[in-house]
Amino acid sequence: MRLSGLFLSASLGAAATIPRQADNGCADPAKRVEWRTLGADVQKQYIDAVLCLKTKPSGIGLNTTRYDDFPYVHSHLDKTKLAVHSVAMFLPWHRLFVQVYEDSLRDCGYTGPMAYWDWTLDAGDPTKAPVWDPITGFGGNGDPAIDVMDSNMKCLVDGPLKGFQVAYTMKGYEPHCLARDWNSGIAFPGDMLADSYNKEAVDKVAAQDNYKDFRYHLEGGPHGAIHSAVGGDMSPATSPNDPIFFLHHTQIDRLWTLWQMEKPETRTTDFGGPKTQNLSNPGEATLDDVMPYLNLVPDIKVSEVMKTQTSKLCYSY
Ligand SMILES: [Cu+2]
């Protein structure tokens, strides 16, 4: 997005009469990588950029920070009729959401690759995943002794995000410390619902041969299991409160992209399923459906983000 924007404005004068060509805006796609391959220096730069977002003003006119724009928008859409979960546009909506976050990290000085968390690599013992590292990662579980909100809000005790203040809960503006509450992680160390996002589970999702079923199983399976397993701020619709959200959703986008790339001819245009959360009359989604972002970025048609290497998006895995 960022690169294409610069490209367009820089070339506008000279190229105004040249007819638009299809997808020529991505000559050099940025490769996204797994978190543990970044190395300690780049990992620190990434987390420093996250902390920097908490010092920048809102880009959508709120009284809270740029970071808080993400949980705000994400949770407000589901409160309205513009649901972006349990509907067909779940995957394309989050694809662009993650891209906007990446652009914001870049505004805060991050120059490394966009990173994903491949939780299949940690399914043997998710509590030991490198993303939880107290020095180079996002810190681990919340402390059960710190339960400020009296409802699974167990704040972090270590790591660079210790004391990270987030602004929103499902009730609205309710500043609180970032919390995690690993599901079964204490009672059954190493479990954390890993059967729902190990390699076997992901292979089953990837074996679906149409978008409608693929989205359904990916969202309800591994995607939902990670939100539940991490718990705390990762459970409600304000889940972008936890920066791990974006590594999780980059992995979700990666699985969709890899699935699309298996049969790019058909799967980069394969889209469908429920248009709304109205169970009795959901309607059928189409590529022309417009995705709402509440001014985070201009609303955009699903069809514009079906591919990751175009003038709108420009990355690979
Ligand atoms: Cu979401």
Side-chain angles (χ1 to χ4, degrees), residues 34-39 43 116-119 121-122 129-131:
E34 217 281 336
W35 172 258
R36 73 201 76 200
T37 69
L38 286 180
Q43 287 169 335
Y116 57 87
W117 171 27
D118 182 357
W119 10 257
L121 301 175
D122 300 303
V131 290

Side-chain angles (χ1 to χ4, degrees), residues 74 78 84-85 90 93-94 97 223 227 237 239-240 245 249:
H74 187 264
D78 273 355
V84 294
H85 298 90
F90 169 75
W93 190 90
H94 286 81
F97 191 62
H223 161 259
H227 278 284
S239 50
F245 171 98
H249 267 278

Side-chain angles (χ1 to χ4, degrees), residues 7-302:
F7 172 78
L8 285 174
S9 54
S11 59
L12 199 61
T17 56
I18 297 174
R20 249 196 235 159
Q21 293 170 19
D23 297 354
N24 63 349
C26 182
D28 188 18
K31 191 146 176 82
R32 294 180 171 182
V33 303
E34 217 281 336
W35 172 258
R36 73 201 76 200
T37 69
L38 286 180
D41 288 350
V42 182
Q43 287 169 335
K44 182 176 185 312
Q45 201 197 59
Y46 183 105
I47 291 172
D48 284 348
V50 173
L51 296 173
C52 161
L53 291 178
K54 281 295 296 181
T55 69
K56 299 285 184 198
S58 166
I60 56 174
L62 302 174
N63 288 325
T64 45
T65 72
R66 179 59 173 162
Y67 187 87
D68 305 307
D69 288 349
F70 293 89
Y72 178 90
V73 167
H74 187 264
S75 58
H76 270 251
L77 287 171
D78 273 355
K79 281 185 188 171
T80 66
K81 286 180 180 164
L82 306 167
V84 294
H85 298 90
S86 308
V87 292
M89 71 169 62
F90 169 75
L91 289 172
W93 190 90
H94 286 81
R95 171 174 279 176
L96 185 58
F97 191 62
V98 163
Q99 179 65 54
V100 178
Y101 184 74
E102 178 184 344
D103 292 344
S104 298
L105 290 179
R106 306 254 175 245
D107 288 342
C108 266
Y110 183 61
T111 57
M114 189 60 167
Y116 57 87
W117 171 27
D118 182 357
W119 10 257
T120 65
L121 301 175
D122 300 303
D125 185 352
T127 67
K128 300 284 193 306
V131 290
W132 308 131
D133 190 282
I135 296 162
T136 59
F138 297 83
N141 200 4
D143 184 345
I146 312 173
D147 199 350
V148 283
M149 304 287 290
D150 209 23
S151 54
N152 294 337
M153 289 299 180
K154 299 173 173 58
C155 294
L156 303 194
V157 288
D158 57 17
L161 298 177
K162 182 185 175 185
F164 191 73
Q165 288 286 312
V166 294
Y168 295 102
T169 68
M170 291 308 286
K171 289 184 201 145
Y173 179 66
E174 276 190 328
H176 60 282
C177 52
L178 176 63
R180 295 193 187 115
D181 187 14
W182 287 354
N183 192 344
S184 335
I186 294 166
F188 307 98
D191 177 11
M192 284 179 83
L193 313 174
D195 287 355
S196 297
Y197 52 86
N198 59 17
K199 186 171 182 308
E200 199 185 351
V202 167
D203 285 348
K204 268 188 204 156
V205 172
Q208 306 298 322
D209 198 34
N210 63 77
Y211 177 85
K212 188 178 172 184
D213 292 338
F214 179 80
R215 192 281 306 166
Y216 179 84
H217 288 286
L218 182 59
E219 183 177 4
H223 161 259
I226 287 286
H227 278 284
S228 299
V230 176
D233 277 302
M234 264 289 268
S235 287
T238 44
S239 50
N241 273 335
D242 191 333
I244 201 68
F245 171 98
F246 295 95
L247 284 90
H248 173 44
H249 267 278
T250 308
Q251 160 77 347
I252 294 295
D253 183 61
R254 171 175 170 261
L255 295 177
W256 182 30
T257 305
L258 297 178
W259 181 83
Q260 289 186 308
M261 289 303 103
E262 274 179 42
K263 297 179 183 173
E265 297 297 318
T266 53
R267 289 184 179 176
T268 54
T269 52
D270 184 5
F271 181 72
K275 190 186 181 90
T276 71
Q277 285 182 348
N278 183 339
L279 291 178
S280 57
N281 185 21
E284 180 63 26
T286 77
L287 286 167
D288 286 328
D289 290 348
V290 174
M291 305 193 291
Y293 286 91
L294 303 180
N295 297 322
L296 195 65
V297 279
D299 294 353
I300 185 174
K301 279 185 183 178
V302 169

